[in-house]
Amino acid sequence: MSAPAKPTILVQLDTDPQPSVFDGVVAVDSGVEHLFRHGGVTPENVRDLVYGALFTRGAGDLSRTALFIGGSRVPAAEAVLEAVKKAFFGPFRVSVLFDANGSNTTAAAAVLAALEAGGGSLRGTRVVTLAATGPVGQRIGRLLGRLGASVAVGSRDLGRARSLAEQLHATTDAEYVPFEMGRPEALAEQLESAAIVINSGPAGVQVLPASLWRSCKALKALIDLNAVPPLGIEGVEATDKAKDRSGVLAWGALGVGGTKMKIHKKAIRQLFTSNDHVLDAEEVLELGRSLD
Amino acid sequence: MSAPAKPTILVQLDTDPQPSVFDGVVAVDSGVEHLFRHGGVTPENVRDLVYGALFTRGAGDLSRTALFIGGSRVPAAEAVLEAVKKAFFGPFRVSVLFDANGSNTTAAAAVLAALEAGGGSLRGTRVVTLAATGPVGQRIGRLLGRLGASVAVGSRDLGRARSLAEQLHATTDAEYVPFEMGRPEALAEQLESAAIVINSGPAGVQVLPASLWRSCKALKALIDLNAVPPLGIEGVEATDKAKDRSGVLAWGALGVGGTKMKIHKKAIRQLFTSNDHVLDAEEVLELGRSLD
Amino acid sequence: MSAPAKPTILVQLDTDPQPSVFDGVVAVDSGVEHLFRHGGVTPENVRDLVYGALFTRGAGDLSRTALFIGGSRVPAAEAVLEAVKKAFFGPFRVSVLFDANGSNTTAAAAVLAALEAGGGSLRGTRVVTLAATGPVGQRIGRLLGRLGASVAVGSRDLGRARSLAEQLHATTDAEYVPFEMGRPEALAEQLESAAIVINSGPAGVQVLPASLWRSCKALKALIDLNAVPPLGIEGVEATDKAKDRSGVLAWGALGVGGTKMKIHKKAIRQLFTSNDHVLDAEEVLELGRSLD
């Protein structure tokens, strides 16, 4: 009990050829003492890297080594996460944070903004999610459903919206309504009863003109995750953070980003509190809810 | 003399595309302050990396920079070691530890177990080495010969056993008896007078059934380096560490592994005590013999 | 204001497949706390790495993150520097040191030796630069011109000498005289009135026999950057540092190298004093001029 704790080591497993500098800096700023940075990680080559984390420190020190899974292509990183979990067995495991392309921390920060707008609860709240089929949008949908919201999931492609709605329902047991985002009547219909609108669409694409949301009677909050002009929701600025915009609370990408960064750092620190955390979307949101 | 010592830097030269996490963690746990991790190292690209270690710190500080050569393919790493030694000249050198695939530290730990069984000496002791032609087996054979043991080297392929025996004899001047491991009479003949049996065969392959060793009158110790069931020597458990098994002292892969890890860390620390260590099998064993 | 400063992070952007160990060791010895080492950096993949440096720390902490651009192929690294500068915008920038193949620190150290020989000024001094068209030679020519020297630029290829002279004149407004280095009369003509000769030619190639410079009446200093025998200027030793050689002050590659190393370390430390340094040849020379 009196031996000094071993230094913390975070093994950064990145699916991109160059491991992310962003994730590296956040790790350092979270107090990680040694960072092992790996690019080009695949489900095929990750097992030996994981074994190196499992078989080097005794059971009492396994919580001082942890894994971070990142990369710009979220599905590739999800495959690495599966391979990492398969490499664990019995007590031989270390904690893992999944945050490819910032997907989990961004989704958690967006949902925290929604919760703030909802007075701490989203139970029964009508939320419209725009461009919902991307990695961040899917996670937002999943988290909202688990919180009891009623979620409309919009995509340019109705088929993709439908299959996402089915998949999210199967995962969370909540109700999801798919709709075709590019069809004005479909969008207007969903917006009519919406309390909250969240856009996780691509950079530089406007998905909601101001004229459409200004007439919505039930609307309480707008959350736009697009940081690159033209922004996704007209009338919301990137720096907005619970800013009043025509009677609606607005969050822009940078307004959400500050919270995202705090969650990211807290999640890294959390990794070293035990050797069996798997911090995916739900766990990351939970950490965000207890931010100071 | 009063300037604070420069931070220790270990340059990890790994022949695999991803540098080993295992070797990285052990380096950190040995107190290395800065670890430079390189994968994909070859005899062709290593010279400039070595020059970077040689030409940056003054003579008095060269002992604060060291090299670790690793990788899963031992012959590839041996070629890198040769290239590294060729890059040194005159006083321009730094210390090097070779431990590709854990070959030196594992061989040393196995030979330490054999020494323990032999009461501190192996002079004149008959040792049978099974699956002796792999990188770990070759090193074990070399170390045993230097300690004065009489070594039988077994392989599935008699030709490979013969050429190894000749090569080891040329290196150590000790006597080696080659035999064909897969031929029951040959194996039985060698076992009859054996005091110690060491298996360094592949994971998950049984090479010695219990029925064969239980009848050996002279047998004092069994050492099995295979950690993956089915284990290599039936009746020995992976966690055995000088465990009595039917009157014979037994060591399994994990029992040897604890010692291996201590040797590895001691070797890393040893690197920084001067700028001219080349820690290969013999030097690593010597460090193991003086473990506390 | 009272929060402890964030750890310093240097992002090493190297165009070679293996990032330079030399530059890494110097970074550690300059006090850098965390070093992120990237090999294989190109103008195409550098933007996201730079963004990771820009978008992770608040404005007050941006000076704690910096970039180092290196690699053995100087033009490839120059293209990376351009891409890095393009990724900056408004206050979103971090400090950068460019020293591919040691080009800036070597050129600065050579020019400092010339300044020492010139008593602190090179205004109006006739300097002959040999093998002037390489990356180090070009930088030396540029720095000499800015200091008011009259510079003869020699190359094996007169066309390349001419185009360099034009380019340097356009950059610095100083006068440059191109000449064909391999033509004895041309070389002798330039040497006749030369006060200082600097060779930045390739390793192992003699460009100036002793017989040619010993007869030069006006000659005060010889500076040879070739460290590999045969050295570039016959009669100058690699370790010479303001050494008297037949009445002329001589500097060899190792004599210049000690100053180069001091400049390199000072430049790394300088990076962390603000977030907007771009340390290229001129800035690096300026740092060298104020060395203790």
Side-chain angles (χ1 to χ4, degrees):
Chain A
M1 297 300 276
S2 59
K6 286 198 156 54
T8 50
I9 297 176
L10 185 67
V11 184
Q12 182 182 0
L13 303 170
D14 199 304
T15 55
D16 292 347
Q18 300 281 356
S20 161
V21 167
F22 187 103
D23 294 331
V25 175
V26 176
V28 165
D29 286 348
S30 307
V32 165
E33 289 169 280
H34 291 270
L35 185 58
F36 289 4
R37 306 174 71 233
H38 292 262
V41 175
T42 65
E44 289 68 37
N45 68 17
V46 80
R47 201 192 58 174
D48 284 350
L49 302 176
V50 175
Y51 282 178
L54 301 185
F55 299 141
T56 35
R57 290 174 157 187
D61 290 313
L62 270 181
S63 65
R64 308 291 290 172
T65 308
L67 309 177
F68 176 91
I69 301 176
S72 61
R73 293 166 302 124
V74 178
E78 288 172 332
V80 167
L81 175 61
E82 286 317 302
V84 164
K85 289 196 280 192
K86 268 177 71 175
F88 294 161
F89 61 101
F92 291 96
R93 58 181 60 244
V94 294
S95 288
V96 193
L97 169 59
F98 181 92
D99 200 29
N101 215 18
S103 52
N104 278 337
T105 50
T106 303
V111 170
L112 280 181
L115 274 164
E116 185 179 334
S121 166
L122 292 172
R123 194 147 300 278
T125 304
R126 284 269 300 147
V127 184
V128 171
T129 60
L130 301 173
T133 58
V136 173
Q138 287 185 27
R139 283 165 168 76
I140 289 173
R142 197 166 101 200
L143 295 172
L144 291 171
R146 293 202 195 274
L147 291 169
S150 160
V151 188
V153 295
S155 170
R156 303 246 160 237
D157 180 322
L158 184 56
R160 292 181 63 205
R162 276 187 181 137
S163 91
L164 174 63
E166 280 169 30
Q167 179 206 311
L168 289 174
H169 172 69
T171 306
T172 65
D173 213 37
E175 293 306 316
Y176 294 87
V177 180
F179 70 97
E180 188 180 346
M181 215 171 76
R183 207 158 55 79
E185 319 86 86
L187 179 55
E189 184 193 337
Q190 295 303 327
L191 288 171
E192 206 177 303
S193 58
I196 298 172
V197 175
I198 306 178
N199 168 47
S200 51
V205 177
Q206 188 187 98
V207 295
L208 186 60
S211 57
L212 280 189
W213 65 259
R214 287 226 174 92
S215 56
C216 298
K217 306 282 188 251
L219 196 63
K220 291 196 286 187
L222 292 165
I223 301 165
D224 182 14
L225 300 178
N226 167 11
V228 179
L231 301 182
I233 302 180
E234 192 186 8
V236 176
E237 296 297 317
T239 52
D240 284 356
K241 189 173 178 180
K243 171 97 179 176
D244 188 309
R245 294 282 179 192
S246 313
V248 172
L249 288 177
W251 280 264
L254 302 182
V256 169
T259 305
K260 173 212 175 316
M261 195 62 100
K262 282 183 196 157
I263 298 174
H264 191 159
K265 289 181 192 169
K266 184 167 183 179
I268 299 274
R269 290 192 297 266
Q270 183 72 4
L271 289 172
F272 299 103
T273 61
S274 88
N275 76 319
D276 58 2
H277 292 300
V278 178
L279 305 182
D280 208 337
E282 286 78 5
E283 295 80 8
V284 168
L285 175 62
E286 207 49 51
L287 288 170
R289 296 192 75 171
S290 59
L291 277 179
D292 298 328
Chain B
M1 297 299 276
S2 59
K6 286 197 154 57
T8 52
I9 297 176
L10 185 68
V11 183
Q12 182 181 0
L13 302 170
D14 200 303
T15 55
D16 293 347
Q18 299 281 357
S20 161
V21 166
F22 186 103
D23 293 332
V25 174
V26 177
V28 164
D29 287 349
S30 306
V32 165
E33 290 169 279
H34 290 271
L35 185 58
F36 289 4
R37 306 175 71 233
H38 291 262
V41 175
T42 65
E44 288 70 37
N45 68 15
V46 80
R47 202 191 59 173
D48 284 349
L49 302 176
V50 175
Y51 282 178
L54 302 184
F55 299 142
T56 34
R57 290 173 159 189
D61 291 311
L62 270 181
S63 66
R64 308 293 290 172
T65 308
L67 309 177
F68 176 93
I69 301 176
S72 61
R73 293 166 302 124
V74 178
E78 288 172 331
V80 167
L81 174 60
E82 286 317 302
V84 164
K85 289 196 281 193
K86 268 177 68 177
F88 294 162
F89 60 102
F92 290 96
R93 56 182 61 244
V94 294
S95 289
V96 193
L97 169 59
F98 181 91
D99 201 29
N101 215 19
S103 52
N104 277 338
T105 51
T106 303
V111 170
L112 280 181
L115 274 164
E116 185 179 336
S121 167
L122 293 172
R123 193 148 301 277
T125 305
R126 282 268 300 146
V127 185
V128 172
T129 60
L130 302 173
T133 57
V136 173
Q138 288 185 28
R139 282 166 169 75
I140 289 173
R142 196 167 101 198
L143 295 174
L144 291 171
R146 293 202 195 273
L147 292 168
S150 160
V151 188
V153 295
S155 170
R156 303 245 159 237
D157 180 323
L158 184 56
R160 293 182 62 205
R162 277 187 181 138
S163 90
L164 175 62
E166 280 169 29
Q167 179 206 310
L168 289 174
H169 172 69
T171 307
T172 67
D173 213 38
E175 293 306 315
Y176 294 87
V177 180
F179 71 97
E180 188 179 347
M181 214 171 75
R183 206 158 55 78
E185 319 87 86
L187 179 55
E189 185 194 337
Q190 294 304 325
L191 288 171
E192 208 175 300
S193 58
I196 297 173
V197 176
I198 306 179
N199 169 48
S200 51
V205 176
Q206 188 187 97
V207 295
L208 186 60
S211 57
L212 280 188
W213 65 260
R214 287 227 173 91
S215 55
C216 297
K217 304 283 188 249
L219 195 64
K220 290 197 286 188
L222 292 164
I223 301 164
D224 182 14
L225 300 178
N226 166 11
V228 179
L231 301 183
I233 302 180
E234 192 186 7
V236 176
E237 296 296 319
T239 52
D240 283 357
K241 189 172 179 180
K243 171 98 179 176
D244 188 309
R245 295 282 180 194
S246 313
V248 172
L249 288 177
W251 279 264
L254 303 182
V256 170
T259 305
K260 173 214 177 312
M261 194 63 99
K262 281 181 195 157
I263 298 173
H264 190 158
K265 288 181 194 169
K266 185 168 183 180
I268 299 274
R269 289 191 298 265
Q270 184 72 4
L271 290 172
F272 299 102
T273 61
S274 88
N275 76 319
D276 58 1
H277 293 299
V278 177
L279 305 182
D280 208 337
E282 286 77 5
E283 295 80 8
V284 168
L285 174 62
E286 209 48 53
L287 287 170
R289 294 191 77 172
S290 59
L291 276 180
D292 299 326
Chain C
M1 296 301 275
S2 60
K6 287 197 155 56
T8 51
I9 297 175
L10 184 68
V11 184
Q12 182 182 0
L13 302 170
D14 199 304
T15 55
D16 292 348
Q18 300 281 354
S20 162
V21 166
F22 187 103
D23 293 332
V25 174
V26 177
V28 165
D29 286 349
S30 307
V32 165
E33 290 170 279
H34 290 269
L35 184 59
F36 290 3
R37 305 175 72 233
H38 292 261
V41 174
T42 65
E44 288 69 38
N45 67 17
V46 79
R47 201 192 59 174
D48 284 350
L49 302 175
V50 175
Y51 281 178
L54 302 184
F55 299 140
T56 34
R57 290 174 157 186
D61 291 311
L62 269 182
S63 66
R64 307 294 288 173
T65 308
L67 309 177
F68 176 91
I69 300 176
S72 61
R73 293 167 301 124
V74 178
E78 288 172 331
V80 166
L81 174 61
E82 286 316 302
V84 164
K85 289 196 280 192
K86 268 177 70 176
F88 294 162
F89 61 102
F92 291 96
R93 57 182 61 244
V94 294
S95 288
V96 193
L97 169 59
F98 181 91
D99 201 29
N101 215 19
S103 51
N104 277 338
T105 50
T106 303
V111 171
L112 281 180
L115 275 163
E116 186 180 334
S121 165
L122 293 171
R123 193 147 302 277
T125 305
R126 281 268 300 147
V127 185
V128 172
T129 60
L130 302 174
T133 57
V136 173
Q138 287 185 27
R139 283 166 168 75
I140 289 173
R142 197 167 99 198
L143 295 173
L144 291 171
R146 293 202 195 275
L147 292 168
S150 159
V151 188
V153 295
S155 169
R156 302 245 159 237
D157 181 321
L158 184 57
R160 292 182 62 206
R162 277 186 181 138
S163 91
L164 175 62
E166 281 169 28
Q167 179 206 310
L168 290 174
H169 173 68
T171 306
T172 67
D173 213 37
E175 291 308 313
Y176 294 87
V177 180
F179 70 97
E180 190 180 346
M181 213 171 76
R183 207 159 55 80
E185 321 86 86
L187 179 54
E189 184 193 337
Q190 295 304 326
L191 288 171
E192 207 177 302
S193 58
I196 298 173
V197 175
I198 306 178
N199 168 47
S200 51
V205 176
Q206 189 187 96
V207 295
L208 186 60
S211 57
L212 280 189
W213 64 260
R214 287 224 174 94
S215 56
C216 298
K217 306 283 189 250
L219 196 63
K220 292 196 286 186
L222 292 165
I223 301 165
D224 182 13
L225 300 177
N226 167 12
V228 179
L231 301 183
I233 301 180
E234 193 186 6
V236 176
E237 296 296 318
T239 52
D240 283 357
K241 190 172 178 181
K243 171 99 178 174
D244 188 310
R245 296 280 180 196
S246 313
V248 171
L249 288 177
W251 279 264
L254 303 181
V256 170
T259 306
K260 173 213 176 313
M261 194 63 99
K262 282 182 197 157
I263 298 174
H264 190 159
K265 288 181 193 167
K266 185 168 183 179
I268 299 274
R269 289 191 298 267
Q270 183 74 3
L271 289 172
F272 300 103
T273 61
S274 87
N275 77 318
D276 57 3
H277 292 299
V278 177
L279 304 182
D280 209 336
E282 285 78 5
E283 295 81 8
V284 167
L285 174 63
E286 209 47 53
L287 288 170
R289 295 191 76 170
S290 59
L291 276 179
D292 300 326

